[in-house]
Amino acid sequence: LAALRADLDRLAAAPPAAAPDLAPFEARLAALENAPVAASGPALDLAPDLAPLLARIEALETRLATLPPTDSAAISAQIQTEIRARLQEAEAETEALRQQAEALNTAASQRAALLAVQTALTSGLGLPEALAGLSAQEGLALPEALTLWTQSPVTLTGLRDRFPDAARQALSDVRSAEQQQSDGAVTDRLATFLMNQTGARSTIAREGDDADAILSRMEAAIAAGDLAAARALLDSLPPPAQPALATWAKEADTLMAAQSALATLISAL
């Protein structure tokens, strides 16, 4: 822009051509020089490429020096037309780059907010801050599954912490149901009573299709972060165990749907 201004000044002072009216171009050049740039976000080169315009001006200067004075007015008019066209291109280019920078800033902010939520889904740490950051993102359309999760947030850590109590209740319900259906001896009924009272259950994964074995494998899967595997095992529990785990299962479904929707949304940005 400085080189362009120097060329324009030289043309305005050069005899014998009549000096063109460069005031409008001076103002527009100053506006381009002083155009504000976003304070944050990716660094972009917002300077328009004025090299073609400078080359045209040099060619016109050479031609002007070889023409008689009667042609200088036409050359001055042509110079003004060239400058006007190139300034319009430069202004359009600058505006397009500014809009691109704003779009990149918005996408980066949205992605950071979604990644914070993704971390909170698993660890439970920073959940209030993550939700606040997500709600502050204007123009970010959330999938239904993620919106449903934000209304009643649940995390993998929370499900892991609540599972033991739900598992003990489920196992107690199964044992009580089995005792009612059998004619077991007094010692068997006493043993069942004591196990229900103490909440005795397997805490290490073991094979088997009884409720205690299935619950032990569910707990191992949850500890490993494999919520889908734990949820699949739940359906193989006997019917008496299902009510105690109904709320836990609903929360697990909500969390898994939110995790899937969140991953899709992040990959789209």
Side-chain angles (χ1 to χ4, degrees):
L1 292 176
L4 175 58
R5 176 169 285 111
D7 288 336
L8 293 177
D9 291 340
R10 187 169 60 255
L11 284 175
D21 181 13
L22 302 178
F25 307 126
E26 293 284 347
R28 293 168 70 179
L29 284 171
L32 283 176
E33 289 177 333
N34 298 324
V37 180
S40 61
L44 294 177
D45 182 9
L46 299 180
D49 183 11
L50 300 178
L53 176 57
L54 295 176
R56 292 180 187 178
I57 290 177
E58 291 177 0
L60 289 171
E61 284 182 297
T62 303
R63 181 181 174 190
L64 181 60
T66 61
L67 292 178
T70 54
D71 293 334
S72 61
I75 295 298
S76 296
Q78 186 175 354
I79 290 175
Q80 292 193 44
T81 300
E82 293 282 349
I83 295 174
R84 183 180 298 108
R86 186 51 190 155
L87 280 175
Q88 289 175 348
E89 293 175 6
E91 289 171 342
E93 182 181 353
T94 300
E95 179 59 26
L97 290 173
R98 184 178 292 109
Q99 291 179 1
Q100 181 183 356
E102 291 176 354
L104 289 173
N105 285 337
T106 299
S109 177
Q110 291 176 349
R111 185 176 180 84
L114 292 172
L115 289 173
V117 171
Q118 191 176 54
T119 300
L121 279 173
T122 302
S123 66
L125 300 175
L127 182 58
E129 294 81 3
L131 290 174
L134 185 63
S135 63
Q137 301 303 312
E138 297 182 359
L140 179 60
L142 298 181
E144 182 179 358
L146 192 54
T147 300
L148 182 63
W149 174 84
T150 60
Q151 295 170 356
S152 181
V154 60
T155 67
L156 179 60
T157 301
L159 289 175
R160 184 185 298 125
D161 292 342
R162 288 193 292 276
F163 182 79
D165 288 341
R168 277 191 288 269
Q169 183 60 52
L171 192 56
S172 175
D173 293 343
V174 169
R175 288 167 176 165
S176 297
E178 290 174 348
Q179 183 180 8
Q180 292 176 359
Q181 295 173 0
S182 67
D183 296 328
V186 174
T187 54
D188 293 336
R189 292 198 298 271
L190 179 59
T192 299
F193 173 78
L194 290 175
M195 285 189 293
N196 286 344
Q197 290 297 111
T198 59
R201 64 186 185 89
S202 299
T203 56
I204 299 177
R206 65 179 182 84
E207 296 299 323
D209 56 3
D210 60 284
D212 186 38
I214 295 173
L215 288 169
S216 71
R217 295 198 298 274
M218 284 183 64
E219 189 164 14
I222 297 169
D226 193 349
L227 189 58
R231 182 62 181 85
L233 285 169
L234 190 148
D235 294 333
S236 61
L237 285 169
Q242 299 291 339
L245 289 164
T247 298
W248 186 93
K250 182 178 179 180
E251 291 179 342
D253 291 340
T254 300
L255 178 58
M256 287 190 296
Q259 287 175 323
S260 177
L262 188 60
T264 301
L265 191 58
I266 291 174
S267 64
L269 290 177

